[in-house]
């Protein structure tokens, strides 16, 4: 398979405030992700998991090096829309993604901006809401929904967008157990047939992924399948062999 994401010598530093120095996150990170693969990213807080994910749809741009998504340089401002059409993201906090006062209007926001005809938008919105079992809430106010329901609305937007790449940034970590199960079912349907990058907080959910990356202060410190990483007896091995109930980061 060909690489759908390529990261070459990525360096990134968060700008400092006023006279304070910037905060470096990556100095020389290299990574390729194959089309159609399932890849998980693990690591402790502050290691750069979300920072890396935000480089894949040009929310953040490299301080040094290059990031290519579907062959497009993310630093190319003229191709920004093309990049974001190719990447769907579901973040940890769905409140940060709500843009309208009615569920169906929120889901329709993206295609409306692309000038898609109203009948087609209606068809797509209804289909997306049915995919996540939220069609009956289409006329509700998003801010009155539960956290899990809001997250399913965020997933519906990605269903409607139908991108080849899906990025899940700890999409279920803030939910209770029941909501996590319901959202997880929607995510499984959404991920089918797509290149999927998951920033994981629960190890058991990514055991069968094609590739697991462990980030540390020096970038990617381990990479492989679940079985390969257990054989290495490194960071992933220690995380996996924690006491039961402590399989989260």
């Amino acid at each position: 398979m060909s690489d759908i994401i390529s990261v070459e010598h990525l360096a990134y530093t968060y700008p400092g405030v006023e006279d304070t120095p910037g905060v470096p996150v990556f100095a020389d990170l290299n990574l390729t992700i194959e089309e159609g693969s399932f890849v998980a990213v693990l690591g402790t807080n502050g290691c750069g998991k979300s920072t890396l994910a935000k480089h894949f749809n040009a929310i953040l741009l490299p301080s040094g090096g290059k990031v290519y998504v579907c062959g497009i340089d993310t630093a190319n401002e003229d191709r920004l829309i093309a990049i974001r059409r190719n990447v769907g993201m579901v973040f940890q906090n769905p409140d940060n993604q709500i843009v309208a006062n009615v569920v169906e209007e929120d889901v329709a926001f993206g295609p409306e901006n692309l000038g898609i005809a109203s009948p087609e938008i209606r068809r797509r919105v209804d289909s997306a809401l049915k995919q996540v079992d939220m069609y009956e809430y289409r006329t509700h106010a998003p801010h009155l929904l539960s956290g899990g329901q809001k997250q399913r609305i965020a997933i519906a937007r990605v269903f409607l967008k139908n991108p080849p790449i899906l990025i899940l940034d700890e999409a279920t970590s803030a939910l209770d157990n029941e909501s996590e199960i319901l959202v997880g079912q929607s995510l499984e349907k959404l991920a089918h047939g797509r290149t999927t990058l998951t920033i994981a907080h629960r190890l058991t959910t990514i055991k069968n992924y094609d590739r697991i990356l462990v980030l540390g202060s020096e970038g990617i410190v381990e990479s492989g399948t679940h079985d390969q990483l257990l054989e290495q007896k490194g960071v992933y091995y220690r995380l996996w062999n924690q006491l039961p109930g402590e399989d989260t980061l």
Side-chain angles (χ1 to χ4, degrees), residues 76-118:
N76 184 343
E77 294 183 3
D78 294 335
R79 303 297 305 279
L80 181 60
I81 292 177
I83 291 168
R84 292 184 175 170
R85 281 178 176 168
N86 283 313
V87 180
M89 296 190 72
V90 181
F91 294 98
Q92 179 180 15
N93 186 352
D95 289 325
N96 294 337
Q97 296 175 273
I98 293 173
V99 297
N101 295 322
V102 178
V103 165
E104 60 184 6
E105 293 176 0
D106 186 75
V107 177
F109 180 79
E112 284 176 346
N113 285 340
L114 296 175
I116 297 173
S118 295

Side-chain angles (χ1 to χ4, degrees), residues 28 54-55 67 75 77 84 102 113 120 144 164 166 169 244:
D28 186 17
K54 290 175 181 177
H55 275 83
V67 175
E77 294 183 3
R84 292 184 175 170
V102 178
N113 285 340
E120 177 62 13
L144 297 179
L166 174 64
D169 189 353

Side-chain angles (χ1 to χ4, degrees), residues 4-6 55-57 67-74 83 86-87 165:
I4 197 168
I5 294 175
S6 179
H55 275 83
F56 296 152
N57 75 340
V67 175
Y68 297 94
V69 175
C70 297
I72 306 170
D73 184 347
T74 60
I83 291 168
N86 283 313
V87 180
I165 300 171

Side-chain angles (χ1 to χ4, degrees), residues 204-221:
T204 51
T205 62
I206 49 90
K207 177 182 177 182
N208 295 319
Y209 270 45
D210 300 310
R211 190 176 173 199
I212 299 169
L213 307 174
V214 182
L215 285 187
S217 58
E218 298 179 359
I220 299 171
V221 295

Side-chain angles (χ1 to χ4, degrees), residues 184-198:
Q185 291 170 346
S186 296
L187 290 174
E188 285 182 10
K189 290 192 288 185
L190 179 60
H192 181 71
R194 306 178 200 275
T195 304
T196 301
L197 179 77
T198 298

Side-chain angles (χ1 to χ4, degrees), residues 17-191:
V17 179
E18 295 181 350
D19 296 329
T20 61
V23 179
V25 182
F26 303 124
D28 186 17
L29 189 145
N30 295 278
L31 170 66
T32 56
I33 295 176
E34 288 187 347
E35 183 178 4
S37 63
F38 279 63
V39 178
V41 180
L42 307 176
T44 56
N45 290 337
C47 71
K49 302 186 297 296
S50 293
T51 299
L52 179 62
K54 290 175 181 177
H55 275 83
F56 296 152
N57 75 340
I59 292 176
L60 297 177
L61 297 177
S63 303
K66 289 291 184 181
V67 175
Y68 297 94
V69 175
C70 297
I72 306 170
D73 184 347
T74 60
N76 184 343
E77 294 183 3
D78 294 335
R79 303 297 305 279
L80 181 60
I81 292 177
I83 291 168
R84 292 184 175 170
R85 281 178 176 168
N86 283 313
V87 180
M89 296 190 72
V90 181
F91 294 98
Q92 179 180 15
N93 186 352
D95 289 325
N96 294 337
Q97 296 175 273
I98 293 173
V99 297
N101 295 322
V102 178
V103 165
E104 60 184 6
E105 293 176 0
D106 186 75
V107 177
F109 180 79
E112 284 176 346
N113 285 340
L114 296 175
I116 297 173
S118 295
E120 177 62 13
I121 291 177
R122 164 54 56 194
R123 185 192 69 78
R124 293 188 190 186
V125 169
D126 288 350
S127 175
L129 288 172
K130 289 174 182 177
Q131 289 272 22
V132 298
D133 298 319
M134 288 296 292
Y135 181 72
E136 65 182 287
Y137 296 93
R138 63 191 180 281
T139 60
H140 286 52
H143 70 277
L144 297 179
L145 300 177
S146 69
Q149 290 170 330
K150 291 177 184 177
Q151 197 64 298
R152 281 189 278 164
I153 296 304
I155 296 166
R157 285 197 296 269
V158 181
F159 261 120
L160 189 148
K161 187 177 179 181
N162 196 27
I165 300 171
L166 174 64
I167 297 178
L168 307 175
D169 189 353
E170 298 193 82
T172 63
S173 63
L175 304 178
D176 59 47
N177 289 338
E178 182 179 355
S179 295
E180 183 176 3
I181 292 171
L182 292 172
V183 170
Q185 291 170 346
S186 296
L187 290 174
E188 285 182 10
K189 290 192 288 185
L190 179 60

